[in-house]
Amino acid sequence: MGLLGVAVAALLYHACVTAQAGAHEQCYAEVPEPYDHLATKTPYYVVQNNNDSEEVFPGCRPAQFWLTARHGTRYPGDDDIIHMDRRLPLLQQHILRNYAAGRSKLCALDLDNIREWHQAFDRSMENQLTESGEHELFHMAKRFQKRFPTLLGAPYDPDKHKFLTTTKQRAMQSGRWFARGLFGDQPVIFPKPKTNDPLLQFYKTCDKWRELIDDSEDSRRERYAFQNSSHMLSTISGVSDRLGFVGNMSYADVRLMYDICRYDKSAFPDRVSPWCAVFTELDMKVFEFDNDLEYYWVDSYGNRLNYEQACPKVKDFIDKFSAVGSSPERQPLAHLYFSHLGGVLKFITRLGIFNESRPLRSGDFGTARAFSSSYLSAFASNVALVLFECGDGYHVSAYVQEHPTRLPGCPGQLCPLERLVSQYRDVVDGCDLTTMCASGGWLATMWKTLVWGLPALSVLV
């Protein structure tokens, strides 16, 4: 074969491989609005309420603002970064070899992005608040300030605006960026954080929950069942085929690519993550539901102890709002708490909102459901409760991710404070974490039998 023949053959081979790579999938890099519901790594912009109009109820005035918020977007943890450093370059090499062998079904542009990928996270960043996380809290504060200017407007007053965070950098910095959104460069006082703060991190000292639920394989039975379902196996097979592997990849490797996709997209929202290109939208939804099962059973409605231990936060807002009624002139205008997913999701559950009519099971993928980790546990996820003084007494309005949210048992968006006090009386009166969280012995074994031998129960409020 002459030089011309060799050149023609090379061009035909390249055209064949390119056609194969592009025939099956649209380039992810060219999708204008890729799927961004990423379970607990969902960026806050996906769920936030952008309507920042002042919140007005005729005949009422805002009296106090109460907020509990998860920290904003963070970098991966140390263990995740180490695992990414060790495994992802190997996967990258395998994917490129598969492409060179003509087996890949990714388009050329997405393959180029994977070829150019390098690790953006190093161990010095582990669990730190990202720049995007700073923006999330800063702009959240701006929107809340526009909705409630009399409660959150400048100037800052240490007696009127009370901040509290955990000891973690991501929570402390989230609080400071929220404060900057409200008060600019004005210095703001933050009390020294407590280790395992009993209001913000009550679950950290709940031994029974840690032993019987958080560390238990039983609490992940539904998730493990889903990981062996046709939905997950089909996803793994599809990803493996798309990347040119002859056999199926492991769940661990596909999950790792999903995780780096999520961290990339949340930390760098204006960039294209090369690793997101290996998934279809359906694949992303499969992994999202995989996470839903984890957090439903370990942090939410799946087990009563998950949410019963959140009673300190219920007691806190009830006590704070009740104090306004007795001596309004001496009470703060705002209580602002910044912590973590575990505390915020358990509190949302304790309120009884976004509950399922029945327990969430592995067979529920693709069905309509109230519980969504992408919505309830996104980065910067939050619940705001606002007390209003009205002509007929005090009322409370609730907001989840800044969206108006009706509390269970309430006649409308505005709920009489007296009704909430009555509704949550048993929660407040029975809030004894020492007894609730005591672990060990035959009582713990009996509790475990009760927890896993019965279906999940609805929250009673």
Side-chain angles (χ1 to χ4, degrees), residues 73-137:
T73 294
R74 64 166 173 83
Y75 292 113
D78 187 63
D79 290 344
D80 285 335
I81 293 174
I82 292 173
H83 187 43
M84 290 172 184
D85 285 343
R86 290 174 177 171
R87 189 62 185 157
L88 285 173
L90 297 177
L91 291 174
Q92 180 188 38
Q93 293 169 20
H94 279 297
I95 292 167
L96 295 177
R97 283 200 298 268
N98 292 344
Y99 176 69
R103 295 195 300 268
S104 175
K105 293 181 181 177
L106 287 182
C107 77
L109 178 57
D110 289 337
L111 258 299
D112 285 342
N113 287 336
I114 288 178
R115 181 182 290 109
E116 297 299 320
W117 172 83
H118 64 277
Q119 172 66 292
F121 309 121
D122 63 61
R123 295 175 65 182
S124 67
M125 301 174 173
E126 62 103 10
N127 283 325
Q128 305 293 296
L129 192 70
T130 65
E131 182 178 349
S132 60
E134 296 170 356
H135 294 166
E136 288 168 343
L137 274 298

Side-chain angles (χ1 to χ4, degrees), residues 293-351:
L293 289 170
E294 169 79 11
Y295 289 94
Y296 178 86
W297 289 96
V298 176
D299 284 294
S300 189
Y301 290 105
N303 293 287
R304 292 187 61 161
L305 186 57
N306 290 342
Y307 54 83
E308 286 182 343
Q309 61 178 310
C311 59
K313 281 192 174 180
V314 179
K315 185 177 187 302
D316 186 77
F317 88 78
I318 292 289
D319 288 349
K320 297 289 196 302
F321 287 173
S322 297
V324 173
S326 59
S327 55
E329 70 285 348
R330 295 193 296 183
Q331 301 305 316
L333 296 175
H335 297 276
L336 307 162
Y337 305 141
F338 301 90
S339 58
H340 307 272
L341 180 157
V344 175
L345 180 54
K346 292 178 180 67
F347 175 68
I348 288 174
T349 308
R350 179 68 275 184
L351 291 178

Side-chain angles (χ1 to χ4, degrees), residues 151-166:
L151 300 179
L152 300 175
Y156 164 71
D157 183 338
D159 293 324
K160 295 298 183 181
H161 304 103
K162 301 291 187 179
F163 288 83
L164 188 64
T165 77
T166 70

Side-chain angles (χ1 to χ4, degrees), residues 28 31-48 50 70 73 136 258 261-273 276-277 279-289 292 372-379:
Y28 174 83
V31 175
E33 295 183 1
Y35 193 72
D36 50 13
H37 289 65
L38 307 175
T40 59
K41 305 302 183 289
T42 299
Y44 186 61
Y45 71 81
V46 175
V47 299
Q48 72 188 28
N50 291 312
R70 183 190 182 191
T73 294
E136 288 168 343
Y258 175 69
C261 158
R262 296 196 295 165
Y263 277 116
D264 276 349
K265 186 142 184 72
S266 56
F268 311 113
D270 296 329
R271 300 185 195 174
V272 173
S273 171
C276 292
F279 300 101
T280 65
E281 182 171 319
L282 180 59
D283 296 336
M284 300 289 278
K285 290 179 178 179
V286 167
F287 274 99
E288 180 185 14
F289 186 71
D292 286 349
S372 165
S373 59
S374 292
Y375 184 73
L376 299 178
S377 298
F379 283 124

Side-chain angles (χ1 to χ4, degrees), residues 9 26 29 31 55 122 124 140 143 193 209 217 231 249 255 277 284 318 323 334 337 344 361 393-394 400 403 432 439:
Q26 179 185 7
V31 175
E55 195 76 350
D122 63 61
S124 67
M140 181 200 301
R143 290 188 298 274
W209 173 77
E217 294 294 297
H231 299 293
M249 304 174 69
R255 174 58 191 253
M284 300 289 278
I318 292 289
Y337 305 141
V344 175
R361 301 292 186 188
Y394 286 95
V400 177
H403 296 275
D432 179 2
S439 180

Side-chain angles (χ1 to χ4, degrees), residues 96-267:
L96 295 177
R97 283 200 298 268
N98 292 344
Y99 176 69
R103 295 195 300 268
S104 175
K105 293 181 181 177
L106 287 182
C107 77
L109 178 57
D110 289 337
L111 258 299
D112 285 342
N113 287 336
I114 288 178
R115 181 182 290 109
E116 297 299 320
W117 172 83
H118 64 277
Q119 172 66 292
F121 309 121
D122 63 61
R123 295 175 65 182
S124 67
M125 301 174 173
E126 62 103 10
N127 283 325
Q128 305 293 296
L129 192 70
T130 65
E131 182 178 349
S132 60
E134 296 170 356
H135 294 166
E136 288 168 343
L137 274 298
F138 179 87
H139 292 291
M140 181 200 301
K142 290 289 187 186
R143 290 188 298 274
F144 271 131
Q145 188 178 60
K146 289 181 179 179
R147 296 185 190 108
F148 305 103
T150 60
L151 300 179
L152 300 175
Y156 164 71
D157 183 338
D159 293 324
K160 295 298 183 181
H161 304 103
K162 301 291 187 179
F163 288 83
L164 188 64
T165 77
T166 70
T167 59
K168 301 298 184 182
Q169 183 268 2
R170 56 192 180 276
M172 291 190 290
Q173 287 300 109
S174 291
R176 293 194 178 280
W177 278 96
F178 191 94
R180 184 171 294 183
L182 295 182
F183 308 118
D185 293 330
Q186 187 175 358
V188 171
I189 296 173
F190 282 79
K192 183 178 179 180
K194 300 177 182 177
T195 301
N196 298 334
D197 187 289
L199 176 62
L200 305 184
Q201 291 182 293
F202 44 84
Y203 52 95
K204 289 290 188 179
T205 55
C206 190
D207 293 339
K208 182 185 290 184
W209 173 77
R210 188 182 67 254
E211 294 172 14
L212 302 184
I213 299 175
D214 191 38
D215 291 342
S216 171
E217 294 294 297
D218 285 337
S219 62
R220 293 167 175 84
R221 287 187 300 184
E222 293 296 329
R223 185 182 190 187
Y224 294 157
F226 183 70
Q227 289 172 2
N228 288 287
S229 71
S230 60
H231 299 293
M232 181 61 76
L233 296 178
S234 177
T235 290
I236 291 173
S237 176
V239 170
S240 302
D241 181 63
R242 198 171 300 120
L243 295 179
F245 287 90
V246 176
N248 280 349
M249 304 174 69
S250 67
Y251 168 85
D253 278 345
V254 178
R255 174 58 191 253
L256 178 62
M257 293 188 295
Y258 175 69
D259 284 341
I260 186 66
C261 158
R262 296 196 295 165
Y263 277 116
D264 276 349
K265 186 142 184 72
S266 56

